[in-house]
Amino acid sequence: AQSVTQPDIHITVSEGASLELRCNYSYGATPYLFWYVQSPGQGLQLLLKYFSGDTLVQGIKGFEAEFKRSQSSFNLRKPSVHWSDAAEYFCAVGAAGNMLTFGGGTRLMVKP
Amino acid sequence: NAGVTQTPKFQVLKTGQSMTLQCAQDMNHEYMSWYRQDPGMGLRLIHYSVGAGITDQGEVPNGYNVSRSTTEDFPLRLLSAAPSQTSVYFCASSWTSGGDTQYFGPGTRLTVL
């Protein structure tokens, strides 16, 4: 069965600092990997996704993520965080014919 | 294009009451799903549908029913509400299954007293 672990429940960074959110997955074959963002009181919005090819994927709002098969990881990064990035971030794994499995989420707080 | 819409936005029920959460999409997506979101547990799949007339159970289906009579609509029914069903419910749709981008509705916050 597929599973996703986001080890950090809460992260606080200063505005302008770099950010890395961790995601580890378990899946038997090559997975499809996603990062979604949820602003307070809102639904989820796709940030980026990885299906195949280049292991470094670019997303919206200046985010990127790197797929590392050897580490079963798909960490999300941003070089300089803005106050508007404060939200909850979810990593998810899926595959053709299967539905998505989400991690527990990481809540990001941004200090001025 | 309204995308995925959900009604109501908020609902308070008493234990034992029944209700239906509505979900509609106007993107002609085949796949639709219902998730519940609880603190620290991410989103867990309740039920999903791969097309009109076809539904299946997800990770946490107990206490919920679904049907899919049209491509557009995918209502979620709580048969006899329990406090453990207090949660935020999200409906999502996509062209295909877990390998595709899912589009989420704004959610329904349900409280069962």
Side-chain angles (χ1 to χ4, degrees), chain B residues 18-35:
Chain B
S18 63
M19 79 158 296
T20 299
L21 307 185
Q22 301 291 346
C23 174
Q25 53 92 8
D26 61 0
M27 297 173 280
N28 206 32
H29 286 166
E30 289 295 325
Y31 281 70
M32 295 186 74
S33 50
W34 277 102
Y35 295 88

Side-chain angles (χ1 to χ4, degrees), chain B residues 31-88:
Chain B
Y31 281 70
M32 295 186 74
S33 50
W34 277 102
Y35 295 88
R36 59 177 289 171
Q37 182 181 25
D38 302 293
M41 304 188 75
L43 279 76
R44 292 180 293 168
L45 184 64
I46 303 171
H47 285 285
Y48 65 97
S49 168
V50 301
I54 306 170
T55 64
D56 205 348
Q57 296 181 351
E59 181 185 356
V60 288
N62 292 342
Y64 307 95
N65 269 1
V66 293
S67 59
R68 183 105 177 264
S69 55
T70 67
T71 298
E72 295 78 19
D73 300 299
F74 190 44
L76 178 72
R77 296 182 188 84
L78 280 70
L79 309 172
S80 177
S84 61
Q85 294 179 303
T86 294
S87 187
V88 182

Side-chain angles (χ1 to χ4, degrees), chain A residues 9-85:
Chain A
I9 298 174
H10 294 100
I11 283 185
T12 300
V13 300
S14 297
E15 191 168 15
S18 63
L19 171 70
E20 183 169 25
L21 303 183
R22 295 183 292 164
C23 172
N24 295 99
Y25 69 90
S26 173
Y27 188 70
T30 300
Y32 298 155
L33 294 161
F34 304 81
W35 276 99
Y36 284 86
V37 61
Q38 183 183 31
S39 298
Q42 304 295 315
L44 276 72
Q45 180 187 20
L46 180 70
L47 279 177
L48 49 81
K49 59 186 177 185
Y50 170 78
F51 286 175
S52 64
D54 193 346
T55 57
L56 185 64
V57 293
Q58 303 296 322
I60 62 172
K61 305 185 181 186
F63 286 92
E64 66 178 25
E66 186 171 11
F67 170 58
K68 293 185 177 180
R69 184 190 303 276
S70 61
Q71 299 176 18
S72 297
S73 69
F74 189 57
N75 293 350
L76 181 71
R77 300 194 294 249
K78 187 170 184 178
S80 177
V81 170
H82 187 262
W83 64 265
S84 61
D85 293 325

